[in-house]
Amino acid sequence: QVQLVESGGGLVQAGGSLRLSCAASGSIASINIMGWYRQAPGKQRELVATISSGGSTRYVDSVKGRFTISRDNAKNTVYLQMNSLNPEDTAVYYCLAVRMEPRPPYNYWGQGTQVTVSS
């Protein structure tokens, strides 16, 4: 089992910044990919960014150039630095950890942290 604890959400004005953190514990040796998803009211959960254990990153187009995902493997923590926030970024942000082995892959989710951007 893997436990994920998120922190760093809150209320910010448009143009501001927030940094989300997600600390993993438990059977973390099996974790390869970590990342963030978000879900806005009335919308489906969408991928925001992911990072592999080797540092390869992937972003949804709407956050490219504004958000940066990083990972501290020694602390088993993944971060999401969010700059130039706009109201469309308002959502509950969920941390994701993907166990690749043993097959099949399995997704672990955090409890979510609310990010609200006011105009």
Side-chain angles (χ1 to χ4, degrees):
Q1 285 293 327
V2 174
Q3 295 78 42
L4 302 173
V5 178
E6 298 133 331
S7 60
L11 173 65
V12 65
Q13 288 188 333
S17 299
L18 284 173
R19 188 174 85 152
L20 305 182
S21 300
C22 173
S25 61
S27 302
I28 56 178
S30 62
I31 296 301
N32 183 338
I33 296 171
M34 296 189 73
W36 295 91
Y37 274 67
R38 66 186 179 186
Q39 188 166 18
K43 295 186 178 181
Q44 290 187 329
R45 190 174 296 191
E46 68 167 353
L47 167 72
V48 177
T50 60
I51 185 168
S52 71
S53 57
S56 296
T57 59
R58 173 188 173 191
Y59 297 91
V60 67
D61 286 345
S62 60
V63 308
K64 286 180 180 178
R66 299 189 299 123
F67 291 11
T68 302
I69 189 170
S70 61
R71 182 170 177 171
D72 186 333
N73 289 327
K75 295 182 178 180
N76 304 314
T77 300
V78 63
Y79 304 95
L80 185 67
Q81 178 67 43
M82 305 185 293
N83 299 328
S84 301
L85 285 160
N86 59 62
E88 289 71 37
D89 296 315
T90 295
V92 178
Y93 283 70
Y94 296 91
C95 180
L96 164 72
V98 181
R99 185 201 70 199
M100 299 302 292
E101 299 288 346
R103 296 289 183 173
Y106 185 85
N107 294 340
Y108 295 95
W109 294 96
Q111 80 282 0
T113 185
Q114 177 70 47
V115 172
T116 303
V117 184
S118 63
S119 59

